[in-house]
Coordinates of all heavy atoms in Angstrom, one line a residue:
M1 N 0.8 -1.2 0.0 CA 0.0 0.0 0.0 C 0.9 1.2 0.0 O 1.9 1.3 0.7 CB -0.9 0.0 1.2 CG -1.9 1.1 1.4 SD -2.9 0.8 2.8 CE -4.5 1.2 2.1
E2 N 0.5 2.3 -0.7 CA 1.3 3.5 -0.8 C 0.5 4.6 0.0 O -0.7 4.7 -0.1 CB 1.5 3.9 -2.2 CG 2.4 3.0 -3.0 CD 2.7 3.5 -4.4 OE1 2.0 4.3 -4.9 OE2 3.7 3.0 -4.9
F3 N 1.3 5.4 0.7 CA 0.7 6.5 1.5 C 1.4 7.8 1.1 O 2.7 7.8 1.0 CB 1.0 6.3 3.0 CG 0.4 5.1 3.6 CD1 1.0 3.9 3.6 CD2 -0.9 5.1 4.1 CE1 0.5 2.7 4.1 CE2 -1.5 4.0 4.7 CZ -0.8 2.8 4.7
T4 N 0.7 8.9 1.0 CA 1.3 10.2 0.9 C 1.6 10.6 2.4 O 1.0 10.0 3.3 CB 0.4 11.2 0.3 OG1 -0.7 11.4 1.1 CG2 0.0 10.8 -1.2
P5 N 2.5 11.5 2.6 CA 2.6 12.0 4.0 C 1.3 12.4 4.7 O 1.1 12.1 5.9 CB 3.6 13.1 3.9 CG 4.4 12.8 2.7 CD 3.4 12.2 1.8
Q6 N 0.4 13.0 3.9 CA -0.9 13.5 4.4 C -1.7 12.3 4.8 O -2.4 12.3 5.8 CB -1.6 14.4 3.4 CG -2.7 15.1 4.0 CD -2.4 16.1 5.1 OE1 -1.2 16.6 5.2 NE2 -3.3 16.3 6.0
Q7 N -1.7 11.2 3.9 CA -2.5 10.0 4.2 C -2.0 9.3 5.5 O -2.7 8.8 6.3 CB -2.5 9.1 3.0 CG -3.3 9.6 1.9 CD -3.1 8.8 0.6 OE1 -2.0 8.3 0.3 NE2 -4.2 8.6 -0.2
L8 N -0.7 9.3 5.6 CA 0.0 8.6 6.8 C -0.5 9.3 8.1 O -0.7 8.6 9.1 CB 1.5 8.6 6.6 CG 2.3 8.0 7.7 CD1 1.9 6.5 7.8 CD2 3.8 8.2 7.5
L9 N -0.6 10.6 8.0 CA -1.0 11.4 9.2 C -2.3 10.9 9.8 O -2.6 11.1 11.0 CB -1.1 12.8 8.8 CG -1.1 13.8 10.0 CD1 0.1 13.6 10.9 CD2 -1.1 15.2 9.4
Q10 N -3.2 10.3 9.0 CA -4.5 9.8 9.5 C -4.3 8.6 10.5 O -5.3 8.3 11.2 CB -5.3 9.3 8.3 CG -5.7 10.4 7.3 CD -6.4 9.8 6.1 OE1 -7.1 8.8 6.1 NE2 -6.2 10.5 5.0
Y11 N -3.1 8.0 10.5 CA -2.8 6.9 11.4 C -2.0 7.4 12.6 O -1.1 6.7 13.0 CB -2.2 5.8 10.6 CG -3.0 5.3 9.5 CD1 -2.9 5.9 8.2 CD2 -4.0 4.3 9.7 CE1 -3.8 5.4 7.2 CE2 -4.8 3.9 8.7 CZ -4.7 4.5 7.4 OH -5.5 4.0 6.4
N12 N -2.3 8.5 13.1 CA -1.5 9.2 14.2 C -1.9 8.9 15.6 O -1.5 9.5 16.5 CB -1.4 10.7 13.9 CG -2.8 11.3 14.1 OD1 -3.8 10.7 14.4 ND2 -2.9 12.6 14.0
S13 N -2.7 7.9 15.8 CA -3.2 7.4 17.1 C -4.2 8.3 17.8 O -4.6 8.0 18.9 CB -2.0 7.2 18.1 OG -1.6 8.4 18.7
T14 N -4.8 9.3 17.1 CA -5.8 10.1 17.7 C -7.2 9.4 17.6 O -8.1 9.7 18.4 CB -5.9 11.5 17.1 OG1 -6.1 11.4 15.7 CG2 -4.7 12.3 17.3
D15 N -7.3 8.5 16.7 CA -8.6 7.7 16.5 C -8.3 6.3 16.9 O -7.6 5.5 16.2 CB -9.1 7.8 15.0 CG -10.4 7.0 14.8 OD1 -10.8 6.3 15.7 OD2 -10.9 7.2 13.7
P16 N -8.8 5.8 18.0 CA -8.5 4.5 18.5 C -9.1 3.4 17.6 O -8.7 2.2 17.7 CB -9.1 4.4 19.9 CG -10.1 5.6 20.0 CD -9.6 6.6 19.0
S17 N -10.0 3.7 16.7 CA -10.5 2.7 15.8 C -9.7 2.5 14.6 O -10.0 1.6 13.8 CB -11.9 3.1 15.3 OG -11.9 4.3 14.5
T18 N -8.6 3.2 14.4 CA -7.7 3.0 13.3 C -6.3 2.5 13.8 O -6.0 2.8 14.9 CB -7.5 4.3 12.4 OG1 -6.8 5.3 13.3 CG2 -8.7 4.8 11.9
P19 N -5.6 1.8 13.0 CA -4.3 1.4 13.4 C -3.3 2.6 13.6 O -3.6 3.7 13.1 CB -3.8 0.4 12.3 CG -4.7 0.7 11.1 CD -5.9 1.4 11.6
F20 N -2.2 2.3 14.2 CA -1.2 3.4 14.4 C 0.0 3.0 13.5 O 0.5 1.9 13.6 CB -0.7 3.4 15.9 CG -1.8 3.6 16.9 CD1 -1.5 3.2 18.2 CD2 -3.1 4.0 16.6 CE1 -2.5 3.3 19.2 CE2 -4.0 4.2 17.6 CZ -3.7 3.8 18.9
Y21 N 0.5 3.9 12.7 CA 1.6 3.7 11.8 C 2.7 4.6 12.1 O 2.5 5.8 12.4 CB 1.1 3.8 10.3 CG 0.1 2.8 9.8 CD1 -0.5 3.1 8.6 CD2 -0.2 1.7 10.5 CE1 -1.5 2.2 8.1 CE2 -1.1 0.8 10.0 CZ -1.7 1.0 8.8 OH -2.7 0.1 8.3
V22 N 3.9 4.1 11.9 CA 5.2 4.9 11.9 C 6.0 4.5 10.7 O 6.1 3.3 10.5 CB 6.0 4.7 13.3 CG1 7.3 5.4 13.2 CG2 5.2 5.2 14.5
A23 N 6.6 5.5 10.1 CA 7.4 5.2 8.9 C 8.9 5.4 9.3 O 9.2 6.3 10.1 CB 7.1 6.0 7.7
I24 N 9.8 4.6 8.7 CA 11.2 4.7 8.9 C 11.8 4.6 7.5 O 11.5 3.5 6.8 CB 11.8 3.7 9.8 CG1 11.3 3.8 11.2 CG2 13.4 3.8 9.8 CD1 11.8 2.7 12.2
K25 N 12.5 5.6 7.0 CA 13.0 5.6 5.6 C 12.0 5.2 4.6 O 12.2 4.5 3.7 CB 14.3 4.7 5.6 CG 15.4 5.3 6.4 CD 16.6 4.4 6.5 CE 16.9 3.5 5.4 NZ 18.1 2.6 5.7
G26 N 10.8 5.7 4.8 CA 9.7 5.5 3.9 C 8.9 4.2 4.0 O 7.9 4.0 3.4
C27 N 9.4 3.3 4.8 CA 8.7 2.0 5.1 C 7.8 2.2 6.2 O 8.2 2.7 7.3 CB 9.8 1.0 5.4 SG 9.1 -0.7 5.6
V28 N 6.5 1.9 6.0 CA 5.4 2.1 7.0 C 5.2 0.8 7.8 O 4.9 -0.2 7.2 CB 4.1 2.6 6.3 CG1 3.0 2.8 7.4 CG2 4.3 3.8 5.5
F29 N 5.3 1.0 9.1 CA 5.1 -0.1 10.0 C 3.8 0.1 10.8 O 3.5 1.2 11.2 CB 6.3 -0.2 11.1 CG 7.6 -0.5 10.4 CD1 8.4 0.5 10.0 CD2 8.0 -1.8 10.3 CE1 9.6 0.2 9.4 CE2 9.2 -2.1 9.7 CZ 10.1 -1.1 9.3
D30 N 3.1 -1.0 11.1 CA 1.9 -1.0 11.9 C 2.3 -1.2 13.3 O 2.7 -2.3 13.7 CB 0.9 -2.0 11.5 CG -0.4 -2.0 12.3 OD1 -0.4 -1.5 13.4 OD2 -1.4 -2.6 11.8
V31 N 2.3 -0.1 14.1 CA 2.8 -0.2 15.5 C 1.7 -0.3 16.5 O 1.9 0.0 17.7 CB 3.8 1.0 15.8 CG1 5.0 1.0 14.9 CG2 3.1 2.3 15.7
T32 N 0.5 -0.6 16.1 CA -0.7 -0.7 16.9 C -0.4 -1.6 18.2 O -0.9 -1.2 19.3 CB -1.9 -1.2 16.1 OG1 -2.0 -0.4 15.0 CG2 -3.1 -1.1 17.0
T33 N 0.3 -2.6 18.0 CA 0.5 -3.5 19.2 C 1.4 -2.8 20.3 O 1.4 -3.2 21.4 CB 1.2 -4.8 18.8 OG1 2.4 -4.6 18.2 CG2 0.3 -5.7 17.9
G34 N 2.1 -1.7 19.9 CA 2.9 -0.9 20.8 C 2.1 0.3 21.2 O 2.7 1.4 21.4
K35 N 0.8 0.2 21.4 CA 0.0 1.4 21.6 C 0.4 2.1 22.9 O 0.1 3.3 23.1 CB -1.5 1.1 21.6 CG -2.0 0.1 22.6 CD -3.5 -0.2 22.4 CE -3.9 -1.3 23.3 NZ -5.3 -1.7 23.0
T36 N 1.0 1.4 23.9 CA 1.4 2.1 25.1 C 2.5 3.1 24.8 O 2.7 4.1 25.5 CB 1.8 1.1 26.2 OG1 2.9 0.3 25.7 CG2 0.7 0.2 26.7
F37 N 3.3 2.8 23.8 CA 4.3 3.7 23.4 C 3.9 4.8 22.3 O 4.2 5.9 22.4 CB 5.5 3.0 22.7 CG 6.2 2.1 23.7 CD1 6.1 0.7 23.6 CD2 7.0 2.6 24.7 CE1 6.7 -0.1 24.5 CE2 7.6 1.7 25.6 CZ 7.5 0.4 25.5
Y38 N 3.1 4.3 21.3 CA 2.7 5.1 20.2 C 1.3 5.7 20.2 O 0.9 6.5 19.4 CB 2.9 4.3 18.9 CG 4.3 3.9 18.7 CD1 4.7 2.6 19.0 CD2 5.3 4.7 18.4 CE1 6.0 2.1 18.9 CE2 6.6 4.3 18.3 CZ 7.0 3.0 18.5 OH 8.3 2.6 18.4
G39 N 0.5 5.2 21.2 CA -0.8 5.7 21.4 C -0.9 7.0 22.2 O 0.2 7.5 22.7
P40 N -2.1 7.6 22.4 CA -2.2 8.8 23.1 C -1.5 8.7 24.5 O -1.7 7.8 25.2 CB -3.7 9.0 23.3 CG -4.3 8.2 22.1 CD -3.3 7.1 21.9
G41 N -0.7 9.7 24.8 CA 0.0 9.8 26.1 C 1.2 8.9 26.1 O 2.0 8.9 27.1
G42 N 1.5 8.1 25.1 CA 2.7 7.3 25.0 C 4.0 8.1 24.8 O 3.9 9.2 24.3
A43 N 5.1 7.5 25.3 CA 6.4 8.2 25.2 C 6.8 8.5 23.8 O 7.5 9.4 23.5 CB 7.4 7.3 25.8
C44 N 6.3 7.8 22.8 CA 6.6 8.0 21.4 C 5.4 8.3 20.5 O 5.5 8.2 19.3 CB 7.3 6.7 20.8 SG 8.9 6.4 21.7
A45 N 4.4 8.8 21.1 CA 3.1 9.1 20.4 C 3.4 10.2 19.3 O 2.7 10.2 18.3 CB 2.1 9.6 21.4
M46 N 4.4 11.0 19.5 CA 4.6 12.1 18.5 C 5.1 11.5 17.2 O 5.1 12.2 16.2 CB 5.6 13.1 19.0 CG 7.1 12.6 19.1 SD 7.4 11.5 20.5 CE 6.9 12.4 21.9
F47 N 5.5 10.2 17.1 CA 6.0 9.6 15.9 C 4.8 9.0 15.1 O 5.0 8.8 13.9 CB 7.0 8.5 16.2 CG 8.3 9.0 16.9 CD1 8.9 8.1 17.7 CD2 8.8 10.2 16.7 CE1 10.1 8.5 18.4 CE2 9.9 10.7 17.3 CZ 10.6 9.8 18.2
A48 N 3.7 8.7 15.7 CA 2.6 8.0 15.1 C 2.1 8.9 13.9 O 1.9 10.1 14.1 CB 1.5 7.7 16.1
G49 N 1.9 8.3 12.8 CA 1.4 9.0 11.6 C 2.4 9.8 10.8 O 2.1 10.5 9.9
K50 N 3.7 9.5 11.2 CA 4.8 10.3 10.5 C 6.0 9.4 10.2 O 6.1 8.3 10.7 CB 5.3 11.4 11.5 CG 4.2 12.4 11.8 CD 4.7 13.4 12.8 CE 3.5 14.3 13.3 NZ 3.8 14.9 14.5
D51 N 6.8 9.9 9.3 CA 8.1 9.3 9.1 C 9.1 9.9 10.1 O 9.4 11.1 10.1 CB 8.6 9.6 7.7 CG 9.9 8.7 7.3 OD1 10.8 8.6 8.2 OD2 9.9 8.2 6.2
A52 N 9.5 9.0 11.0 CA 10.3 9.5 12.2 C 11.8 9.2 11.9 O 12.6 9.2 12.9 CB 9.8 8.8 13.4
S53 N 12.3 9.1 10.7 CA 13.6 8.7 10.4 C 14.7 9.5 11.1 O 15.5 9.1 11.8 CB 13.9 8.7 8.9 OG 13.1 7.7 8.3
R54 N 14.6 10.8 10.9 CA 15.6 11.7 11.4 C 15.6 11.7 13.0 O 16.6 11.7 13.6 CB 15.4 13.2 10.9 CG 16.4 14.1 11.4 CD 16.1 15.5 10.8 NE 17.1 16.5 11.3 CZ 18.2 16.8 10.6 NH1 18.5 16.1 9.5 NH2 19.0 17.7 11.1
A55 N 14.4 11.8 13.5 CA 14.2 11.8 15.0 C 14.8 10.5 15.6 O 15.5 10.6 16.6 CB 12.8 11.9 15.4
L56 N 14.6 9.4 15.0 CA 15.2 8.1 15.5 C 16.7 8.1 15.4 O 17.4 7.7 16.3 CB 14.5 6.9 14.9 CG 13.0 6.7 15.2 CD1 12.4 5.6 14.3 CD2 12.9 6.4 16.7
A57 N 17.2 8.6 14.3 CA 18.6 8.7 14.1 C 19.3 9.5 15.1 O 20.3 9.2 15.7 CB 18.9 9.2 12.7
K58 N 18.7 10.6 15.4 CA 19.2 11.6 16.4 C 18.8 11.3 17.8 O 19.2 12.1 18.7 CB 18.8 13.0 16.0 CG 19.4 13.4 14.6 CD 18.9 14.8 14.2 CE 19.6 15.9 14.9 NZ 21.0 16.1 14.8
M59 N 17.9 10.3 18.0 CA 17.4 10.0 19.3 C 16.7 11.3 19.9 O 17.0 11.7 21.0 CB 18.5 9.5 20.3 CG 19.1 8.2 19.8 SD 17.9 6.8 19.8 CE 17.7 6.6 21.5
S60 N 15.9 11.9 19.1 CA 15.2 13.2 19.4 C 13.7 13.1 19.4 O 13.2 12.3 18.6 CB 15.7 14.2 18.4 OG 15.0 15.4 18.6
K61 N 13.1 13.8 20.2 CA 11.6 13.9 20.2 C 11.2 15.3 19.8 O 10.0 15.7 20.0 CB 11.0 13.5 21.5 CG 11.2 12.0 21.8 CD 10.5 11.6 23.1 CE 10.7 10.1 23.4 NZ 10.1 9.8 24.7
N62 N 12.1 16.1 19.3 CA 11.8 17.5 18.9 C 11.0 17.5 17.6 O 11.4 16.8 16.7 CB 13.1 18.3 18.7 CG 13.9 18.5 20.0 OD1 13.3 18.5 21.1 ND2 15.2 18.5 19.9
D63 N 10.0 18.3 17.6 CA 9.1 18.4 16.4 C 9.9 18.6 15.1 O 9.6 18.0 14.1 CB 8.1 19.5 16.6 CG 7.0 19.2 17.6 OD1 6.8 17.9 17.9 OD2 6.3 20.1 18.1
E64 N 10.9 19.4 15.1 CA 11.6 19.7 13.9 C 12.4 18.5 13.4 O 12.8 18.5 12.3 CB 12.6 20.9 14.1 CG 13.7 20.8 15.1 CD 13.3 21.2 16.5 OE1 12.1 21.4 16.8 OE2 14.2 21.3 17.3
D65 N 12.7 17.5 14.3 CA 13.4 16.3 13.9 C 12.5 15.2 13.4 O 13.0 14.2 12.9 CB 14.3 15.8 15.0 CG 15.5 16.7 15.3 OD1 16.0 17.3 14.3 OD2 15.9 16.9 16.5
I66 N 11.2 15.3 13.6 CA 10.3 14.3 13.2 C 10.0 14.5 11.7 O 9.0 15.1 11.3 CB 9.0 14.2 14.1 CG1 9.4 14.1 15.5 CG2 8.1 13.1 13.6 CD1 8.3 14.2 16.5
T67 N 10.9 14.0 10.9 CA 10.8 14.1 9.4 C 11.6 13.0 8.8 O 12.4 12.3 9.4 CB 11.5 15.5 9.0 OG1 11.5 15.6 7.6 CG2 12.9 15.6 9.5
S68 N 11.3 12.8 7.5 CA 11.9 11.8 6.7 C 13.3 12.2 6.2 O 14.1 11.4 5.8 CB 11.1 11.4 5.5 OG 10.9 12.5 4.7
S69 N 13.6 13.5 6.3 CA 14.9 14.1 5.8 C 16.1 13.5 6.6 O 16.1 13.5 7.9 CB 14.9 15.6 6.0 OG 16.2 16.1 5.6
L70 N 17.0 13.0 5.9 CA 18.2 12.5 6.5 C 19.4 13.4 6.2 O 20.6 13.0 6.3 CB 18.5 11.0 6.1 CG 17.5 10.0 6.7 CD1 17.8 8.6 6.1 CD2 17.5 10.0 8.2
D71 N 19.2 14.7 5.9 CA 20.2 15.6 5.8 C 20.8 16.0 7.1 O 20.0 16.4 8.0 CB 19.7 16.9 5.0 CG 19.3 16.6 3.6 OD1 19.8 15.7 3.0 OD2 18.5 17.4 3.1
G72 N 22.0 15.8 7.3 CA 22.7 16.3 8.5 C 23.1 15.3 9.6 O 24.1 15.5 10.2
P73 N 22.4 14.2 9.8 CA 22.8 13.2 10.8 C 24.2 12.6 10.4 O 24.6 12.5 9.3 CB 21.8 12.1 10.7 CG 20.6 12.8 10.2 CD 21.1 13.8 9.2
S74 N 25.0 12.4 11.5 CA 26.3 11.9 11.3 C 26.3 10.4 10.9 O 25.2 9.8 11.0 CB 27.1 12.0 12.6 OG 26.5 11.1 13.6
D75 N 27.4 9.8 10.6 CA 27.5 8.4 10.3 C 27.0 7.6 11.5 O 26.3 6.5 11.3 CB 28.9 8.0 9.8 CG 29.3 8.5 8.5 OD1 28.4 8.9 7.7 OD2 30.5 8.5 8.2
K76 N 27.4 8.0 12.6 CA 27.0 7.3 13.9 C 25.5 7.3 14.0 O 24.8 6.3 14.3 CB 27.6 7.9 15.1 CG 27.3 7.2 16.4 CD 28.0 7.8 17.6 CE 27.6 7.1 18.9 NZ 28.2 7.7 20.0
E77 N 24.9 8.5 13.7 CA 23.4 8.6 13.8 C 22.7 7.7 12.8 O 21.7 7.1 13.0 CB 23.0 10.0 13.7 CG 23.4 10.8 14.9 CD 23.2 12.3 14.8 OE1 23.3 12.8 13.6 OE2 23.0 13.0 15.8
I78 N 23.3 7.6 11.6 CA 22.7 6.8 10.5 C 22.8 5.3 11.0 O 21.9 4.5 10.7 CB 23.4 7.0 9.2 CG1 23.2 8.4 8.7 CG2 23.0 5.9 8.2 CD1 21.7 8.7 8.4
G79 N 23.8 5.0 11.7 CA 23.9 3.6 12.3 C 22.9 3.4 13.3 O 22.3 2.3 13.4
V80 N 22.6 4.4 14.1 CA 21.5 4.3 15.1 C 20.2 4.0 14.4 O 19.4 3.2 14.9 CB 21.5 5.6 16.0 CG1 20.2 5.6 16.9 CG2 22.7 5.6 16.9
L81 N 19.9 4.8 13.3 CA 18.7 4.6 12.6 C 18.6 3.2 12.0 O 17.5 2.5 12.1 CB 18.6 5.6 11.5 CG 17.4 5.5 10.6 CD1 16.1 5.6 11.4 CD2 17.4 6.5 9.5
A82 N 19.7 2.6 11.5 CA 19.7 1.3 11.0 C 19.3 0.3 12.1 O 18.6 -0.7 11.9 CB 21.1 0.9 10.4
D83 N 19.8 0.5 13.3 CA 19.4 -0.4 14.5 C 17.9 -0.3 14.7 O 17.3 -1.3 15.0 CB 20.2 0.0 15.7 CG 21.7 -0.3 15.6 OD1 22.1 -1.2 14.8 OD2 22.5 0.2 16.4
W84 N 17.4 0.9 14.7 CA 16.0 1.1 14.9 C 15.2 0.4 13.8 O 14.2 -0.3 14.1 CB 15.6 2.6 14.9 CG 15.7 3.3 16.2 CD1 16.7 4.2 16.6 CD2 15.0 3.0 17.4 NE1 16.5 4.6 17.9 CE2 15.5 3.9 18.4 CE3 13.9 2.2 17.7 CZ2 14.9 3.9 19.7 CZ3 13.4 2.2 19.0 CH2 13.9 3.1 20.0
E85 N 15.6 0.5 12.6 CA 15.0 -0.1 11.5 C 14.9 -1.6 11.7 O 13.9 -2.3 11.5 CB 15.7 0.2 10.2 CG 15.0 -0.1 8.9 CD 15.6 0.4 7.7 OE1 16.8 0.7 7.7 OE2 15.0 0.4 6.6
K86 N 16.0 -2.2 12.1 CA 16.0 -3.7 12.4 C 15.1 -4.1 13.5 O 14.4 -5.1 13.4 CB 17.5 -4.1 12.7 CG 18.4 -4.1 11.6 CD 19.8 -4.5 12.0 CE 20.8 -4.3 10.9 NZ 22.2 -4.4 11.3
K87 N 15.0 -3.2 14.5 CA 14.1 -3.5 15.6 C 12.6 -3.5 15.1 O 11.8 -4.3 15.5 CB 14.3 -2.5 16.8 CG 15.6 -2.7 17.5 CD 15.8 -1.6 18.5 CE 17.2 -1.8 19.2 NZ 17.5 -0.7 20.1
F88 N 12.3 -2.5 14.4 CA 10.9 -2.3 13.8 C 10.6 -3.5 12.9 O 9.5 -4.1 13.0 CB 10.8 -1.0 13.1 CG 10.3 0.1 13.9 CD1 11.2 0.6 14.9 CD2 9.1 0.7 13.7 CE1 10.8 1.7 15.7 CE2 8.7 1.8 14.5 CZ 9.5 2.3 15.5
E89 N 11.6 -3.9 12.1 CA 11.3 -5.0 11.1 C 11.1 -6.3 11.9 O 10.3 -7.2 11.5 CB 12.5 -5.2 10.2 CG 12.6 -4.1 9.2 CD 13.9 -4.1 8.4 OE1 14.9 -4.8 8.8 OE2 14.0 -3.5 7.3
A90 N 11.7 -6.5 13.0 CA 11.6 -7.7 13.8 C 10.3 -7.7 14.6 O 9.7 -8.8 15.0 CB 12.8 -7.9 14.8
K91 N 9.8 -6.5 14.9 CA 8.6 -6.4 15.9 C 7.3 -6.1 15.2 O 6.2 -6.5 15.7 CB 9.0 -5.4 16.9 CG 8.0 -5.3 18.1 CD 8.5 -4.5 19.2 CE 7.6 -4.5 20.4 NZ 8.1 -3.8 21.5
Y92 N 7.3 -5.3 14.2 CA 6.1 -4.8 13.6 C 5.9 -5.1 12.1 O 6.9 -5.1 11.4 CB 6.0 -3.2 13.7 CG 6.1 -2.8 15.1 CD1 7.2 -2.0 15.6 CD2 5.1 -3.0 16.1 CE1 7.3 -1.6 16.9 CE2 5.2 -2.6 17.4 CZ 6.3 -1.8 17.8 OH 6.4 -1.4 19.1
P93 N 4.7 -5.4 11.7 CA 4.5 -5.7 10.2 C 4.6 -4.5 9.4 O 4.2 -3.4 9.8 CB 3.1 -6.2 10.2 CG 2.4 -5.8 11.4 CD 3.5 -5.5 12.5
V94 N 5.2 -4.7 8.2 CA 5.2 -3.6 7.2 C 3.9 -3.6 6.5 O 3.4 -4.6 6.0 CB 6.4 -3.9 6.2 CG1 6.4 -2.9 5.1 CG2 7.7 -3.9 6.9
V95 N 3.3 -2.3 6.3 CA 2.0 -2.2 5.7 C 2.1 -1.4 4.4 O 1.1 -1.3 3.7 CB 1.0 -1.6 6.6 CG1 0.7 -2.6 7.8 CG2 1.4 -0.3 7.2
G96 N 3.2 -0.8 4.1 CA 3.3 0.0 2.9 C 4.6 0.9 2.9 O 5.5 0.7 3.6
R97 N 4.5 1.9 1.9 CA 5.6 2.8 1.7 C 5.0 4.2 1.6 O 3.9 4.4 1.1 CB 6.3 2.5 0.4 CG 7.0 1.2 0.5 CD 8.4 1.1 -0.1 NE 9.3 2.3 0.0 CZ 10.2 2.5 0.9 NH1 10.3 1.6 1.9 NH2 11.0 3.5 0.9
V98 N 5.8 5.2 2.0 CA 5.4 6.6 1.8 C 5.9 7.0 0.5 O 7.1 6.8 0.1 CB 6.0 7.5 2.9 CG1 5.7 8.9 2.7 CG2 5.6 7.0 4.3
V99 N 5.1 7.7 -0.3 CA 5.4 8.2 -1.6 C 5.1 9.7 -1.6 O 4.3 10.2 -0.9 CB 4.6 7.5 -2.7 CG1 5.0 6.1 -2.8 CG2 3.1 7.7 -2.6
S100 N 5.9 10.4 -2.4 CA 5.7 11.9 -2.4 C 4.7 12.3 -3.5 O 4.3 11.6 -4.3 CB 7.0 12.7 -2.6 OG 7.9 12.0 -3.3

């Protein structure tokens, strides 16, 4: 399934009747089973419905870092993102890709 960034935003955990999705490097994961983290009030709720690549690479929860842009992160941060990507792949099903 393909999602525009605007379509992905519909899965931002504000509607409990829809699944919660987070994208990493354009790959969309269904993180609904992690609703304590990605659901309302969860520690990572700000990532739901978005591509959180830069934020995960930088280990940041700042709004300006919650983006798919990978301009600027160091090689070490790109490695951190690769680790997150592996964790997501092992734990959550892939449901699609973000397209522009």
Side-chain angles (χ1 to χ4, degrees):
M1 183 176 224
E2 293 185 339
F3 299 88
T4 65
Q6 194 64 26
Q7 289 169 324
L8 181 62
L9 195 55
Q10 296 173 31
Y11 300 92
N12 66 359
S13 80
T14 57
D15 181 352
S17 69
T18 63
F20 308 160
Y21 293 167
V22 173
I24 299 176
K25 293 173 30 183
C27 185
V28 180
F29 296 89
D30 182 340
V31 298
T32 307
T33 58
K35 65 183 172 186
T36 57
F37 296 107
Y38 301 102
C44 298
M46 72 285 302
F47 299 149
K50 300 176 185 161
D51 189 315
S53 298
R54 183 182 179 88
L56 291 171
K58 297 176 73 64
M59 299 294 291
S60 169
K61 292 183 180 178
N62 295 329
D63 287 339
E64 64 271 11
D65 288 326
I66 304 173
T67 176
S68 62
S69 173
L70 291 176
D71 293 335
S74 67
D75 289 343
K76 181 179 180 183
E77 290 169 330
I78 295 299
V80 168
L81 179 58
D83 289 343
W84 276 110
E85 191 173 19
K86 287 177 190 170
K87 288 176 187 175
F88 271 66
E89 288 170 345
K91 189 169 185 175
Y92 302 114
V94 173
V95 294
R97 294 221 35 95
V98 178
V99 296
S100 33

